[in-house]
Amino acid sequence: KAGVTQTPRYLIKTRGQQVTLSCSPISGHRSVSWYQQTPGQGLQFLFEYFSETQRNKGNFPGRFSGRQFSNSRSEMNVSTLELGDSALYLCASSLVGEITEAFFGQGTRLTVV
Amino acid sequence: AQSVTQLGSHVSVSEGALVLLRCNYSSSVPPYLFWYVQYPNQGLQLLLKYTTGATLVKGINGFEAEFKKSETSFHLTKPSAHMSDAAEYFCAVSLNSGYSTLTFGKGTMLLVSP
């Protein structure tokens, strides 16, 4: 079956702009989580959505937001981009109810110039 | 809150040598533990996981890890390294809470020389 799909794979944006990243989970997976990966901070949890509701949120400013649609697809948005937002953004999907395994997409590489 | 410490940002081994990547965790409740591998410009792929039961866990590509509660460790091993094992490895912990939130270590880059 198809894996987690993230689009686009690469993005270049200018400081001050906003960006929207998309994640389509594995069919049947209703939980979607987002992570930011940078060389300095490593992998950091952004937020998790289940059934269109944010269940958990990491320690990121309000410029980072997300949502989940009824088909479990998720988007994350970053407004007023800063140079420090340059990172690989990873989406993971998993089954509901217990932590069995999180399946990761290939990520979106965001570069802010 | 839980945390993960991976000792050594880089580990170098020769092809055919034992691979040992160290991971220690802290958690206020019994954790779920994971090892993921990441190849350049790729996402994360699960190698193995410990949830409950047997403390020695076997994963893909010949890797295994042992959960040692007394040492709060979950070290990753492979008896014989292959060139294709060169990648970055991440240890992660999650609470037994039903949430799918992972806390990752900083990662260990495995370098394999011929």
Side-chain angles (χ1 to χ4, degrees), chain A residues 100-102, chain B residues 34-37 44-49 60:
Chain A
T100 54
E101 180 176 347
Chain B
F34 306 82
W35 275 100
Y36 283 87
V37 62
L44 302 176
Q45 180 184 11
L46 182 71
L47 283 175
L48 48 80
K49 63 186 179 190
I60 62 172

PDB file of all heavy atoms in Angstrom, chain A residues 100-102, chain B residues 34-37 44-49 60:
ATOM      1  N   THR A 100       2.015   1.871  18.000  1.00  0.00           N
ATOM      2  CA  THR A 100       2.601   0.671  17.437  1.00  0.00           C
ATOM      3  C   THR A 100       3.771   1.048  16.542  1.00  0.00           C
ATOM      4  O   THR A 100       4.878   0.583  16.723  1.00  0.00           O
ATOM      5  CB  THR A 100       1.567  -0.113  16.625  1.00  0.00           C
ATOM      6  OG1 THR A 100       0.978   0.754  15.659  1.00  0.00           O
ATOM      7  CG2 THR A 100       0.485  -0.664  17.523  1.00  0.00           C
ATOM      8  N   GLU A 101       3.510   1.896  15.622  1.00  0.00           N
ATOM      9  CA  GLU A 101       4.573   2.316  14.730  1.00  0.00           C
ATOM     10  C   GLU A 101       4.165   3.594  14.021  1.00  0.00           C
ATOM     11  O   GLU A 101       3.033   3.696  13.562  1.00  0.00           O
ATOM     12  CB  GLU A 101       4.855   1.224  13.711  1.00  0.00           C
ATOM     13  CG  GLU A 101       5.950   1.555  12.720  1.00  0.00           C
ATOM     14  CD  GLU A 101       6.243   0.399  11.791  1.00  0.00           C
ATOM     15  OE1 GLU A 101       5.789  -0.713  12.065  1.00  0.00           O
ATOM     16  OE2 GLU A 101       6.945   0.618  10.783  1.00  0.00           O
ATOM     17  N   ALA A 102       5.069   4.533  13.965  1.00  0.00           N
ATOM     18  CA  ALA A 102       4.845   5.753  13.196  1.00  0.00           C
ATOM     19  C   ALA A 102       5.565   5.604  11.866  1.00  0.00           C
ATOM     20  O   ALA A 102       6.758   5.312  11.830  1.00  0.00           O
ATOM     21  CB  ALA A 102       5.369   6.959  13.958  1.00  0.00           C
TER      22      ALA A 102
ATOM     23  N   PHE B  34      12.023   2.939  20.463  1.00  0.00           N
ATOM     24  CA  PHE B  34      12.143   2.723  19.022  1.00  0.00           C
ATOM     25  C   PHE B  34      13.559   3.086  18.559  1.00  0.00           C
ATOM     26  O   PHE B  34      14.211   3.955  19.144  1.00  0.00           O
ATOM     27  CB  PHE B  34      11.161   3.622  18.249  1.00  0.00           C
ATOM     28  CG  PHE B  34       9.729   3.493  18.677  1.00  0.00           C
ATOM     29  CD1 PHE B  34       9.255   4.170  19.784  1.00  0.00           C
ATOM     30  CD2 PHE B  34       8.848   2.710  17.947  1.00  0.00           C
ATOM     31  CE1 PHE B  34       7.931   4.062  20.189  1.00  0.00           C
ATOM     32  CE2 PHE B  34       7.513   2.601  18.334  1.00  0.00           C
ATOM     33  CZ  PHE B  34       7.066   3.268  19.452  1.00  0.00           C
ATOM     34  N   TRP B  35      13.980   2.429  17.496  1.00  0.00           N
ATOM     35  CA  TRP B  35      15.147   2.852  16.737  1.00  0.00           C
ATOM     36  C   TRP B  35      14.708   3.072  15.287  1.00  0.00           C
ATOM     37  O   TRP B  35      14.051   2.220  14.686  1.00  0.00           O
ATOM     38  CB  TRP B  35      16.252   1.803  16.757  1.00  0.00           C
ATOM     39  CG  TRP B  35      17.153   1.873  17.940  1.00  0.00           C
ATOM     40  CD1 TRP B  35      17.115   1.106  19.072  1.00  0.00           C
ATOM     41  CD2 TRP B  35      18.272   2.757  18.117  1.00  0.00           C
ATOM     42  NE1 TRP B  35      18.123   1.457  19.937  1.00  0.00           N
ATOM     43  CE2 TRP B  35      18.845   2.462  19.371  1.00  0.00           C
ATOM     44  CE3 TRP B  35      18.854   3.760  17.332  1.00  0.00           C
ATOM     45  CZ2 TRP B  35      19.957   3.140  19.860  1.00  0.00           C
ATOM     46  CZ3 TRP B  35      19.947   4.431  17.811  1.00  0.00           C
ATOM     47  CH2 TRP B  35      20.506   4.121  19.064  1.00  0.00           C
ATOM     48  N   TYR B  36      15.094   4.243  14.773  1.00  0.00           N
ATOM     49  CA  TYR B  36      14.819   4.587  13.381  1.00  0.00           C
ATOM     50  C   TYR B  36      16.143   4.831  12.672  1.00  0.00           C
ATOM     51  O   TYR B  36      17.134   5.250  13.274  1.00  0.00           O
ATOM     52  CB  TYR B  36      13.985   5.870  13.297  1.00  0.00           C
ATOM     53  CG  TYR B  36      12.524   5.697  13.599  1.00  0.00           C
ATOM     54  CD1 TYR B  36      12.040   5.764  14.907  1.00  0.00           C
ATOM     55  CD2 TYR B  36      11.601   5.470  12.577  1.00  0.00           C
ATOM     56  CE1 TYR B  36      10.695   5.613  15.184  1.00  0.00           C
ATOM     57  CE2 TYR B  36      10.252   5.324  12.841  1.00  0.00           C
ATOM     58  CZ  TYR B  36       9.810   5.392  14.149  1.00  0.00           C
ATOM     59  OH  TYR B  36       8.467   5.241  14.404  1.00  0.00           O
ATOM     60  N   VAL B  37      16.142   4.617  11.355  1.00  0.00           N
ATOM     61  CA  VAL B  37      17.296   4.921  10.518  1.00  0.00           C
ATOM     62  C   VAL B  37      16.885   5.940   9.466  1.00  0.00           C
ATOM     63  O   VAL B  37      15.745   5.914   8.978  1.00  0.00           O
ATOM     64  CB  VAL B  37      17.867   3.645   9.859  1.00  0.00           C
ATOM     65  CG1 VAL B  37      16.852   2.978   8.944  1.00  0.00           C
ATOM     66  CG2 VAL B  37      19.147   3.963   9.083  1.00  0.00           C
ATOM     67  N   LEU B  44      12.308   8.805   7.955  1.00  0.00           N
ATOM     68  CA  LEU B  44      12.775   7.839   8.936  1.00  0.00           C
ATOM     69  C   LEU B  44      12.129   6.482   8.681  1.00  0.00           C
ATOM     70  O   LEU B  44      10.932   6.398   8.395  1.00  0.00           O
ATOM     71  CB  LEU B  44      12.410   8.304  10.352  1.00  0.00           C
ATOM     72  CG  LEU B  44      12.951   9.659  10.775  1.00  0.00           C
ATOM     73  CD1 LEU B  44      12.429  10.026  12.149  1.00  0.00           C
ATOM     74  CD2 LEU B  44      14.452   9.663  10.764  1.00  0.00           C
ATOM     75  N   GLN B  45      12.931   5.453   8.825  1.00  0.00           N
ATOM     76  CA  GLN B  45      12.433   4.090   8.665  1.00  0.00           C
ATOM     77  C   GLN B  45      12.613   3.352   9.998  1.00  0.00           C
ATOM     78  O   GLN B  45      13.695   3.389  10.587  1.00  0.00           O
ATOM     79  CB  GLN B  45      13.193   3.355   7.557  1.00  0.00           C
ATOM     80  CG  GLN B  45      12.729   1.925   7.339  1.00  0.00           C
ATOM     81  CD  GLN B  45      13.558   1.193   6.313  1.00  0.00           C
ATOM     82  OE1 GLN B  45      14.611   1.657   5.881  1.00  0.00           O
ATOM     83  NE2 GLN B  45      13.091   0.031   5.904  1.00  0.00           N
ATOM     84  N   LEU B  46      11.558   2.696  10.442  1.00  0.00           N
ATOM     85  CA  LEU B  46      11.637   1.978  11.707  1.00  0.00           C
ATOM     86  C   LEU B  46      12.504   0.734  11.572  1.00  0.00           C
ATOM     87  O   LEU B  46      12.303  -0.085  10.677  1.00  0.00           O
ATOM     88  CB  LEU B  46      10.236   1.573  12.167  1.00  0.00           C
ATOM     89  CG  LEU B  46      10.175   0.850  13.504  1.00  0.00           C
ATOM     90  CD1 LEU B  46      10.480   1.828  14.646  1.00  0.00           C
ATOM     91  CD2 LEU B  46       8.800   0.221  13.728  1.00  0.00           C
ATOM     92  N   LEU B  47      13.481   0.611  12.474  1.00  0.00           N
ATOM     93  CA  LEU B  47      14.315  -0.593  12.531  1.00  0.00           C
ATOM     94  C   LEU B  47      13.697  -1.635  13.462  1.00  0.00           C
ATOM     95  O   LEU B  47      13.630  -2.809  13.131  1.00  0.00           O
ATOM     96  CB  LEU B  47      15.703  -0.251  13.051  1.00  0.00           C
ATOM     97  CG  LEU B  47      16.683   0.413  12.092  1.00  0.00           C
ATOM     98  CD1 LEU B  47      17.950   0.780  12.852  1.00  0.00           C
ATOM     99  CD2 LEU B  47      16.999  -0.492  10.919  1.00  0.00           C
ATOM    100  N   LEU B  48      13.303  -1.182  14.643  1.00  0.00           N
ATOM    101  CA  LEU B  48      12.726  -2.076  15.632  1.00  0.00           C
ATOM    102  C   LEU B  48      12.052  -1.271  16.720  1.00  0.00           C
ATOM    103  O   LEU B  48      12.248  -0.061  16.819  1.00  0.00           O
ATOM    104  CB  LEU B  48      13.785  -3.013  16.235  1.00  0.00           C
ATOM    105  CG  LEU B  48      15.097  -2.374  16.717  1.00  0.00           C
ATOM    106  CD1 LEU B  48      14.953  -1.737  18.077  1.00  0.00           C
ATOM    107  CD2 LEU B  48      16.206  -3.425  16.746  1.00  0.00           C
ATOM    108  N   LYS B  49      11.254  -1.981  17.533  1.00  0.00           N
ATOM    109  CA  LYS B  49      10.542  -1.305  18.604  1.00  0.00           C
ATOM    110  C   LYS B  49      10.394  -2.241  19.794  1.00  0.00           C
ATOM    111  O   LYS B  49      10.322  -3.466  19.647  1.00  0.00           O
ATOM    112  CB  LYS B  49       9.165  -0.848  18.137  1.00  0.00           C
ATOM    113  CG  LYS B  49       8.248  -2.003  17.729  1.00  0.00           C
ATOM    114  CD  LYS B  49       6.951  -1.508  17.132  1.00  0.00           C
ATOM    115  CE  LYS B  49       6.086  -2.703  16.710  1.00  0.00           C
ATOM    116  NZ  LYS B  49       4.911  -2.298  15.920  1.00  0.00           N
ATOM    117  N   ILE B  60      14.806  -5.183  11.478  1.00  0.00           N
ATOM    118  CA  ILE B  60      15.161  -5.438  10.090  1.00  0.00           C
ATOM    119  C   ILE B  60      16.665  -5.292   9.886  1.00  0.00           C
ATOM    120  O   ILE B  60      17.364  -4.709  10.715  1.00  0.00           O
ATOM    121  CB  ILE B  60      14.400  -4.483   9.146  1.00  0.00           C
ATOM    122  CG1 ILE B  60      14.788  -3.025   9.428  1.00  0.00           C
ATOM    123  CG2 ILE B  60      12.909  -4.682   9.269  1.00  0.00           C
ATOM    124  CD1 ILE B  60      14.236  -2.050   8.412  1.00  0.00           C
TER     125      ILE B  60
END
